[in-house]
Amino acid sequence: MGTWGTGIFDNDDAGDVREEFRDLIAAGKSADEATAGLVESYGAADVDLEDHNFWPALAATQHSPGHVGTGVIERAITIIDDPAELERWDPSDARRRRAALKKLRSRLQMKPRSPKRLRARRGVDTALEEGQHLLFDTGTRVLLLRVLGVSTDKGGRYPFVMLLDWDGTEASLEQAHRLPGRLDPGKNRREGERMGMKLIGEPDDPPSLRILANVSDEDTPTSRRTIDDTRPHANWVAGWVPRWSQVDEFLQERGV
Protein backbone atom coordinates (compact mmCIF):
# COMPACT_ATOMS: atom_id res chain seq x y z
CA MET A 1 0.00 0.00 0.00
CA GLY A 2 1.36 3.44 -0.90
CA THR A 3 1.27 6.35 1.55
CA TRP A 4 2.33 9.78 0.31
CA GLY A 5 1.15 12.13 3.04
CA THR A 6 -0.47 12.46 6.44
CA GLY A 7 -3.98 13.38 5.29
CA ILE A 8 -6.92 11.04 5.78
CA PHE A 9 -6.94 10.05 2.11
CA ASP A 10 -3.19 10.19 1.47
CA ASN A 11 -2.82 6.44 1.02
CA ASP A 12 -4.04 3.81 -1.43
CA ASP A 13 -6.50 2.01 0.83
CA ALA A 14 -8.23 5.19 2.00
CA GLY A 15 -8.70 6.42 -1.55
CA ASP A 16 -10.03 3.06 -2.67
CA VAL A 17 -12.43 2.86 0.28
CA ARG A 18 -13.84 6.28 -0.59
CA GLU A 19 -14.49 5.40 -4.22
CA GLU A 20 -15.84 1.92 -3.52
CA PHE A 21 -18.25 3.11 -0.82
CA ARG A 22 -19.67 5.79 -3.08
CA ASP A 23 -20.04 3.23 -5.89
CA LEU A 24 -21.96 0.89 -3.59
CA ILE A 25 -24.34 3.63 -2.45
CA ALA A 26 -24.87 4.73 -6.06
CA ALA A 27 -25.73 1.11 -6.89
CA GLY A 28 -28.50 1.10 -4.29
CA LYS A 29 -26.81 -0.42 -1.23
CA SER A 30 -27.60 0.94 2.23
CA ALA A 31 -24.81 2.42 4.34
CA ASP A 32 -24.76 -0.68 6.54
CA GLU A 33 -24.70 -3.03 3.55
CA ALA A 34 -21.89 -1.07 1.92
CA THR A 35 -19.94 -0.96 5.19
CA ALA A 36 -20.27 -4.72 5.70
CA GLY A 37 -19.03 -5.40 2.20
CA LEU A 38 -15.99 -3.16 2.60
CA VAL A 39 -15.13 -4.54 6.03
CA GLU A 40 -15.10 -8.04 4.58
CA SER A 41 -13.16 -6.97 1.48
CA TYR A 42 -10.46 -5.16 3.46
CA GLY A 43 -10.40 -7.55 6.44
CA ALA A 44 -11.10 -4.64 8.79
CA ALA A 45 -13.41 -6.31 11.31
CA ASP A 46 -11.12 -5.42 14.22
CA VAL A 47 -9.76 -2.01 15.12
CA ASP A 48 -5.99 -2.52 15.10
CA LEU A 49 -3.02 -0.71 13.57
CA GLU A 50 -3.59 -2.31 10.18
CA ASP A 51 -7.05 -0.71 10.09
CA HIS A 52 -5.98 2.79 11.12
CA ASN A 53 -6.30 4.05 7.55
CA PHE A 54 -9.54 2.22 6.80
CA TRP A 55 -11.92 3.45 9.53
CA PRO A 56 -11.13 7.21 9.53
CA ALA A 57 -11.35 7.22 5.73
CA LEU A 58 -14.66 5.35 5.77
CA ALA A 59 -16.10 7.65 8.45
CA ALA A 60 -15.06 10.78 6.54
CA THR A 61 -16.49 9.33 3.31
CA GLN A 62 -19.82 8.47 4.93
CA HIS A 63 -20.26 11.64 6.96
CA SER A 64 -19.98 14.06 4.03
CA PRO A 65 -22.97 12.75 2.00
CA GLY A 66 -24.90 11.62 5.08
CA HIS A 67 -24.76 7.87 4.45
CA VAL A 68 -23.43 6.73 7.83
CA GLY A 69 -23.16 3.06 8.79
CA THR A 70 -23.80 1.81 12.30
CA GLY A 71 -20.76 2.23 14.54
CA VAL A 72 -18.46 3.61 11.84
CA ILE A 73 -17.94 7.05 13.35
CA GLU A 74 -17.39 5.53 16.79
CA ARG A 75 -14.68 3.22 15.45
CA ALA A 76 -12.98 6.09 13.69
CA ILE A 77 -12.96 8.22 16.84
CA THR A 78 -11.50 5.26 18.77
CA ILE A 79 -8.60 5.24 16.34
CA ILE A 80 -8.21 9.03 16.42
CA ASP A 81 -7.95 8.93 20.22
CA ASP A 82 -5.58 5.95 20.27
CA PRO A 83 -1.96 7.07 21.05
CA ALA A 84 -0.69 4.20 18.89
CA GLU A 85 -2.03 5.97 15.81
CA LEU A 86 0.54 8.77 16.12
CA GLU A 87 3.33 6.47 17.33
CA ARG A 88 3.44 4.79 13.91
CA TRP A 89 4.51 8.08 12.27
CA ASP A 90 7.86 9.87 12.22
CA PRO A 91 7.86 12.84 14.65
CA SER A 92 7.62 15.46 11.91
CA ASP A 93 4.81 13.58 10.17
CA ALA A 94 3.06 12.85 13.48
CA ARG A 95 2.42 16.57 14.00
CA ARG A 96 0.73 16.89 10.63
CA ARG A 97 -1.18 13.67 11.16
CA ARG A 98 -2.41 14.92 14.54
CA ALA A 99 -3.75 18.07 12.89
CA ALA A 100 -5.55 16.03 10.20
CA LEU A 101 -7.11 13.74 12.80
CA LYS A 102 -8.16 16.64 15.02
CA LYS A 103 -9.92 18.29 12.08
CA LEU A 104 -11.67 15.05 11.18
CA ARG A 105 -12.73 14.41 14.78
CA SER A 106 -14.38 17.82 14.97
CA ARG A 107 -16.25 17.14 11.73
CA LEU A 108 -17.39 13.68 12.81
CA GLN A 109 -18.87 15.09 16.01
CA MET A 110 -21.21 17.25 13.95
CA LYS A 111 -24.58 15.84 12.96
CA PRO A 112 -24.40 14.33 9.45
CA ARG A 113 -26.51 15.93 6.75
CA SER A 114 -29.56 14.16 5.34
CA PRO A 115 -28.46 11.40 2.91
CA LYS A 116 -27.48 12.84 -0.46
CA ARG A 117 -28.02 10.97 -3.69
CA LEU A 118 -24.73 9.73 -5.12
CA ARG A 119 -24.24 9.11 -8.81
CA ALA A 120 -22.14 6.31 -10.24
CA ARG A 121 -18.73 7.59 -11.21
CA ARG A 122 -17.42 7.42 -14.73
CA GLY A 123 -14.50 5.05 -15.08
CA VAL A 124 -11.11 6.65 -15.63
CA ASP A 125 -9.19 5.88 -18.81
CA THR A 126 -5.87 6.45 -20.51
CA ALA A 127 -4.74 6.47 -24.11
CA LEU A 128 -1.11 5.92 -23.10
CA GLU A 129 0.72 2.71 -23.95
CA GLU A 130 3.63 0.83 -22.44
CA GLY A 131 7.00 2.01 -23.72
CA GLN A 132 5.92 5.56 -24.56
CA HIS A 133 7.80 8.63 -23.36
CA LEU A 134 6.01 11.90 -22.72
CA LEU A 135 6.37 15.42 -21.41
CA PHE A 136 3.88 16.56 -18.77
CA ASP A 137 3.55 20.26 -17.97
CA THR A 138 2.29 20.50 -14.38
CA GLY A 139 1.90 24.27 -14.58
CA THR A 140 5.05 24.94 -12.59
CA ARG A 141 7.51 22.59 -14.32
CA VAL A 142 7.78 20.06 -17.14
CA LEU A 143 8.37 16.39 -16.31
CA LEU A 144 9.69 13.62 -18.54
CA LEU A 145 7.88 10.32 -17.93
CA ARG A 146 8.25 6.77 -19.24
CA VAL A 147 5.16 4.55 -19.39
CA LEU A 148 6.05 1.23 -17.76
CA GLY A 149 2.62 -0.28 -18.20
CA VAL A 150 -1.14 0.19 -17.97
CA SER A 151 -3.13 -1.39 -15.14
CA THR A 152 -6.86 -2.08 -15.12
CA ASP A 153 -9.35 -2.50 -12.30
CA LYS A 154 -13.07 -1.90 -11.85
CA GLY A 155 -12.42 1.84 -11.65
CA GLY A 156 -10.82 2.02 -15.08
CA ARG A 157 -7.39 2.03 -16.73
CA TYR A 158 -4.32 3.76 -15.29
CA PRO A 159 -0.84 4.42 -16.70
CA PHE A 160 2.08 3.42 -14.50
CA VAL A 161 4.92 5.84 -15.19
CA MET A 162 8.46 6.47 -14.03
CA LEU A 163 9.87 9.97 -13.58
CA LEU A 164 13.08 10.23 -15.60
CA ASP A 165 16.32 11.92 -14.62
CA TRP A 166 16.16 14.61 -17.32
CA ASP A 167 18.21 17.82 -17.51
CA GLY A 168 15.29 19.78 -18.97
CA THR A 169 16.85 20.42 -22.37
CA GLU A 170 15.19 19.79 -25.70
CA ALA A 171 18.35 18.21 -27.13
CA SER A 172 18.46 15.42 -24.53
CA LEU A 173 14.94 14.33 -25.41
CA GLU A 174 16.38 12.47 -28.39
CA GLN A 175 17.79 10.00 -25.85
CA ALA A 176 14.74 9.88 -23.59
CA HIS A 177 14.52 6.10 -23.95
CA ARG A 178 18.07 5.79 -22.59
CA LEU A 179 17.62 7.94 -19.49
CA PRO A 180 17.44 6.32 -16.05
CA GLY A 181 14.63 6.89 -13.61
CA ARG A 182 14.86 9.58 -10.94
CA LEU A 183 15.81 8.17 -7.55
CA ASP A 184 13.07 8.18 -4.94
CA PRO A 185 14.39 10.31 -2.04
CA GLY A 186 12.10 8.68 0.54
CA LYS A 187 13.65 7.43 3.77
CA ASN A 188 12.19 3.94 3.43
CA ARG A 189 12.93 3.33 -0.23
CA ARG A 190 14.75 0.20 -1.36
CA GLU A 191 18.29 0.60 -2.67
CA GLY A 192 18.21 2.23 -6.09
CA GLU A 193 14.43 2.66 -6.06
CA ARG A 194 13.10 5.03 -8.72
CA MET A 195 10.13 7.42 -8.61
CA GLY A 196 7.13 5.60 -10.02
CA MET A 197 3.46 6.60 -10.03
CA LYS A 198 0.16 5.08 -11.05
CA LEU A 199 -1.65 8.16 -12.30
CA ILE A 200 -5.40 8.55 -11.94
CA GLY A 201 -7.18 10.21 -14.84
CA GLU A 202 -9.73 13.00 -14.28
CA PRO A 203 -11.30 11.08 -15.90
CA ASP A 204 -8.86 10.93 -18.84
CA ASP A 205 -5.26 11.93 -19.54
CA PRO A 206 -4.45 15.66 -19.42
CA PRO A 207 -4.83 17.24 -22.88
CA SER A 208 -1.43 18.92 -22.62
CA LEU A 209 0.67 15.75 -22.79
CA ARG A 210 3.36 15.73 -25.46
CA ILE A 211 4.09 12.20 -26.69
CA LEU A 212 7.65 11.73 -27.93
CA ALA A 213 8.79 9.50 -30.78
CA ASN A 214 11.04 7.54 -28.42
CA VAL A 215 9.86 4.05 -27.50
CA SER A 216 11.43 1.71 -24.96
CA ASP A 217 13.56 -1.11 -26.40
CA GLU A 218 15.92 -3.79 -25.12
CA ASP A 219 18.54 -1.18 -24.24
CA THR A 220 16.17 1.01 -22.18
CA PRO A 221 17.10 0.90 -18.45
CA THR A 222 15.00 -1.84 -16.90
CA SER A 223 12.79 -1.61 -13.83
CA ARG A 224 10.70 -3.88 -11.65
CA ARG A 225 7.73 -3.45 -9.35
CA THR A 226 7.29 -6.86 -7.68
CA ILE A 227 9.50 -9.31 -5.80
CA ASP A 228 8.66 -11.92 -8.46
CA ASP A 229 10.57 -9.88 -11.05
CA THR A 230 14.12 -11.20 -10.78
CA ARG A 231 15.67 -9.61 -13.86
CA PRO A 232 19.31 -8.73 -13.20
CA HIS A 233 20.20 -5.04 -12.93
CA ALA A 234 16.54 -4.03 -12.76
CA ASN A 235 15.85 -1.19 -10.35
CA TRP A 236 12.83 -1.10 -8.07
CA VAL A 237 10.17 1.46 -8.90
CA ALA A 238 7.89 2.96 -6.25
CA GLY A 239 4.15 2.74 -6.79
CA TRP A 240 2.60 5.99 -5.57
CA VAL A 241 -0.96 6.77 -6.71
CA PRO A 242 -1.68 10.50 -7.19
CA ARG A 243 -4.09 12.09 -9.62
CA TRP A 244 -2.56 13.90 -12.59
CA SER A 245 -3.49 17.24 -11.02
CA GLN A 246 -1.72 16.28 -7.77
CA VAL A 247 1.60 15.22 -9.27
CA ASP A 248 3.50 18.46 -8.71
CA GLU A 249 2.30 18.84 -5.11
CA PHE A 250 3.07 15.19 -4.45
CA LEU A 251 6.62 15.47 -5.80
CA GLN A 252 7.26 18.62 -3.79
CA GLU A 253 6.18 16.81 -0.63
CA ARG A 254 8.61 14.03 -1.50
CA GLY A 255 11.45 16.53 -1.99
CA VAL A 256 11.66 16.02 -5.75
Side-chain angles (χ1 to χ4, degrees):
M1 179 192 68
T3 298
W4 54 88
T6 57
I8 303 302
F9 294 102
D10 287 352
N11 63 84
D12 289 346
D13 275 357
D16 290 344
V17 165
R18 175 172 56 187
E19 299 299 337
E20 291 176 26
F21 177 80
R22 294 177 68 89
D23 286 346
L24 289 168
I25 296 298
K29 298 291 186 181
S30 69
D32 283 342
E33 289 172 334
T35 297
L38 291 173
V39 167
E40 180 178 0
S41 177
Y42 285 83
D46 300 317
V47 178
D48 55 35
L49 279 177
E50 293 184 356
D51 304 322
H52 275 213
N53 289 326
F54 177 89
W55 289 103
L58 183 59
T61 298
Q62 294 187 354
H63 189 275
S64 293
H67 295 272
V68 179
T70 304
V72 171
I73 289 178
E74 290 76 11
R75 287 198 177 206
I77 289 178
T78 296
I79 289 173
I80 292 171
D81 293 342
D82 185 354
E85 162 58 18
L86 294 179
E87 291 171 359
R88 69 191 183 104
W89 297 85
D90 292 337
S92 60
D93 290 335
R95 289 192 293 270
R96 291 192 288 269
R97 181 65 173 179
R98 182 185 294 111
L101 292 172
K102 181 179 179 180
K103 183 177 180 179
L104 175 61
R105 195 185 199 285
S106 297
R107 180 152 64 91
L108 294 180
Q109 290 180 311
M110 299 173 62
K111 183 179 178 179
R113 57 165 292 163
S114 298
K116 174 185 177 182
R117 181 185 176 188
L118 299 180
R119 298 182 182 275
R121 58 176 165 152
R122 174 187 166 190
V124 301
D125 199 9
T126 181
L128 298 176
E129 299 177 359
E130 182 176 352
Q132 288 182 319
H133 293 73
L134 57 125
L135 292 176
F136 172 41
D137 188 342
T138 69
T140 58
R141 54 178 160 172
V142 178
L143 306 174
L144 178 58
L145 307 173
R146 175 178 298 140
V147 183
L148 301 181
V150 176
S151 62
T152 303
D153 63 23
K154 59 186 177 183
R157 300 174 67 251
Y158 314 84
F160 189 88
V161 305
M162 180 166 63
L163 177 65
L164 299 185
D165 194 4
W166 174 49
D167 62 9
T169 65
E170 190 74 17
S172 62
L173 291 179
E174 295 181 3
Q175 295 297 312
H177 57 310
R178 297 287 179 262
L179 295 177
R182 181 85 174 263
L183 283 172
D184 187 332
K187 296 179 182 179
N188 299 320
R189 67 173 173 83
R190 290 160 290 200
E191 182 178 359
E193 187 167 22
R194 267 49 180 179
M195 281 298 305
M197 298 172 284
K198 184 173 81 170
L199 296 172
I200 301 176
E202 299 172 294
D204 303 307
D205 302 322
S208 59
L209 297 182
R210 174 185 166 192
I211 308 299
L212 305 181
N214 314 66
V215 178
S216 296
D217 57 27
E218 61 182 11
D219 294 322
T220 298
T222 55
S223 57
R224 59 178 175 171
R225 286 179 278 166
T226 70
I227 58 175
D228 298 324
D229 188 341
T230 57
R231 288 175 296 169
H233 312 301
N235 290 303
W236 285 100
V237 180
W240 308 107
V241 192
R243 298 181 183 275
W244 281 100
S245 60
Q246 298 171 330
V247 167
D248 194 55
E249 180 182 1
F250 162 73
L251 291 177
Q252 288 182 35
E253 290 178 352
R254 298 285 299 171
V256 177

